[in-house]
Amino acid sequence: MIDFDGSTGPEGHPDLKGFGTDTAFVFWLRDGVSEGRAAHVGFTAPSKEAVDAAYAAAMAADATDNGAPADRPYYAPGYYAASVFDPDGYSLEFTYKAWQHSKD
């Protein structure tokens, strides 16, 4: 488990609790009301281009922007992501994490 202090992210970022392994936190919780935006679902992508494509597809399907594709160094070096709210209000994030794709 990891505690992410929201004050280290952009303005208004919530505190988060992440669950997973040392390099792959796959389930995140935050305080919120029981409505669409209380759920945040993250998808991993094999490349930055795949993040860009997922974001573009979501926007074309009437999602609302919640963070255009960009590096997110406040999470970790090599963290590239995009975020949207789907038409039902659910928070979706598409991520490429460079350390999960390193070549040995």
Side-chain angles (χ1 to χ4, degrees):
M1 187 180 108
I2 188 171
D3 286 318
F4 178 78
D5 180 356
S7 67
T8 65
E11 185 177 335
H13 198 291
D15 293 337
L16 301 170
K17 303 282 188 201
F19 299 86
T21 66
D22 289 338
T23 59
F25 293 95
V26 297
F27 186 71
W28 292 90
L29 297 175
R30 69 176 185 186
D31 285 334
V33 296
S34 295
E35 50 91 19
R37 292 185 184 203
H40 176 78
V41 180
F43 298 92
T44 58
S47 66
K48 289 182 177 184
E49 294 78 15
V51 170
D52 296 346
Y55 175 81
M59 295 302 291
D62 294 328
T64 302
D65 174 61
N66 189 34
D71 289 312
R72 307 275 197 268
Y74 43 85
Y75 290 132
Y79 193 108
Y80 184 85
S83 298
V84 300
F85 292 115
D86 77 3
D88 292 323
Y90 291 97
S91 174
L92 307 178
E93 181 180 21
F94 313 109
T95 63
Y96 171 75
K97 300 169 184 174
W99 65 90
Q100 291 179 336
H101 300 278
S102 63
K103 305 227 189 287
D104 295 336

